[in-house]
Amino acid sequence: MPALASALRDPAPLGLVRTRRADCVTLRGTTLLLDELVDPAFFTPEARQRLRAQLTGAAPFPHLVVDGLFNPQLLTLVLEEFDTHHSTGWYDVQSSYERTRRSVLGATLGPATQLYFDLVNSGWFTTWLSDVTGTPYLIPDPLRHGGGLHESRTGGSFAVHRDFDRHPHTGLKNEMVFITYLNRNWQPEWGSALELWDAKKGQCVTTVQPEFGRTLLLPHGPKSFHGHPVPLQAPDGRPRRSVATYFYTGTPVPEQDLDRSISIFIQPRRIDAAKALLRQWVPPILWSFAKKVARR
């Protein structure tokens, strides 16, 4: 993995164009340096170890809350784009368990919001998430099922729940949700703080206020019950806003199926063709043993 600064200076993963003056992007008059979109202090080897210890030691189940991970100028631009998001790009959820709204699957996003998701879905960022959580080879979802823009208005709430186990379209295993809040000077008495519950005790153990620039990493598991059951009652009808995305893992490939994950050449070398023919007749356990011996 390249150093964080080097990765950020390369605009290719972000879909941006390198300018002649500097490695930056200008959105609505605000210039953002690419190597300042996130705080590099979170990405050092020492920080990764510290964050992993915080995550695994959190109660009532593993989770991580950090402030200041993203450039506040970027998040300000993301927040502005909630008001310009097209009306057809939302769907409202109204049930006995939930009152909220989310952006539709694969919605066209504003440039700052797309930049945010390009960052968190990039290879170097998902590698960081893997290091912090101990979950290898995380797979992002560019269409943002269950994620994207989240907004709750007056009276909005979400009963305590555990997230889905599988992506409904790909069948991939849900590993975690990654949320960044966008609400300045949020007050506890307004309600809709995120509550993390101990299901056995039937009570809230930890509360996360949805303050601007606060990011929550919430691994999915049998105990990860959470929600914001207290209805929102903020002054002046201000909404509760956040951006979110899920990360997944696939089914590990069995050793005997590894040949299916390599390229097939139309004219293989004779030795390789002979190996392929031999493998059809040799029991998998003997073939595996032979490969181990050959590596020594």
Side-chain angles (χ1 to χ4, degrees), residues 75-115:
L75 297 185
T76 297
L77 292 168
V78 172
L79 178 59
E80 291 175 356
E81 292 173 355
F82 272 73
D83 293 324
T84 58
H85 192 65
H86 198 276
S87 59
T88 60
W90 293 102
Y91 74 92
D92 294 306
V93 182
Q94 302 286 339
S95 73
S96 56
Y97 298 104
E98 182 180 8
R99 292 184 60 193
T100 188
R101 66 195 316 230
R102 301 188 185 97
S103 56
V104 299
L105 184 71
T108 299
L109 304 174
T113 309
Q114 188 61 59
L115 176 57

Side-chain angles (χ1 to χ4, degrees), residues 2-18 34 37 114-126:
L4 175 63
S6 298
L8 287 174
R9 290 191 184 98
D10 179 5
L14 308 178
L16 305 176
V17 177
R18 184 185 297 276
L34 296 184
L37 294 178
Q114 188 61 59
L115 176 57
Y116 168 88
F117 283 109
D118 286 345
L119 278 171
V120 299
N121 289 335
S122 66
W124 59 266
F125 198 94
T126 54

Side-chain angles (χ1 to χ4, degrees), residues 277-288:
L277 182 62
L278 181 63
R279 184 166 186 180
Q280 295 180 18
W281 296 95
V282 175
I285 189 171
L286 293 179
W287 184 263
S288 178

Side-chain angles (χ1 to χ4, degrees), residues 31-70:
T31 298
L32 302 169
L33 296 177
L34 296 184
D35 59 0
E36 294 180 357
L37 294 178
V38 295
D39 185 346
F42 287 97
F43 293 82
T44 65
E46 296 77 15
R48 295 170 195 243
Q49 294 180 4
R50 183 182 71 254
L51 293 172
R52 184 169 184 179
Q54 291 176 9
L55 180 144
T56 56
F61 46 79
H63 69 278
L64 180 66
V65 179
V66 296
D67 292 310
L69 174 59
F70 295 99

